[in-house]
Amino acid sequence: MQEIRVIENQTIGNVRIVSQAKAPLAPIASNRK
């Protein structure tokens, strides 16, 4: 319960998670010329 109170009292600012990051399924090739 104490850990939850600590987490609730932490301020992050104007940041919020829009969506979780996902790793690509295939490698992405570079655009070297």
Side-chain angles (χ1 to χ4, degrees):
M1 193 67 171
Q2 184 178 7
E3 288 180 33
I4 293 172
R5 288 186 186 134
V6 170
I7 293 170
E8 286 178 345
N9 292 330
Q10 290 178 346
T11 56
I12 299 174
N14 293 338
V15 177
R16 69 180 165 138
I17 297 174
V18 176
S19 63
Q20 297 292 328
K22 296 180 183 177
L25 299 176
I28 299 172
S30 64
N31 291 332
R32 292 185 183 182
K33 295 182 180 182

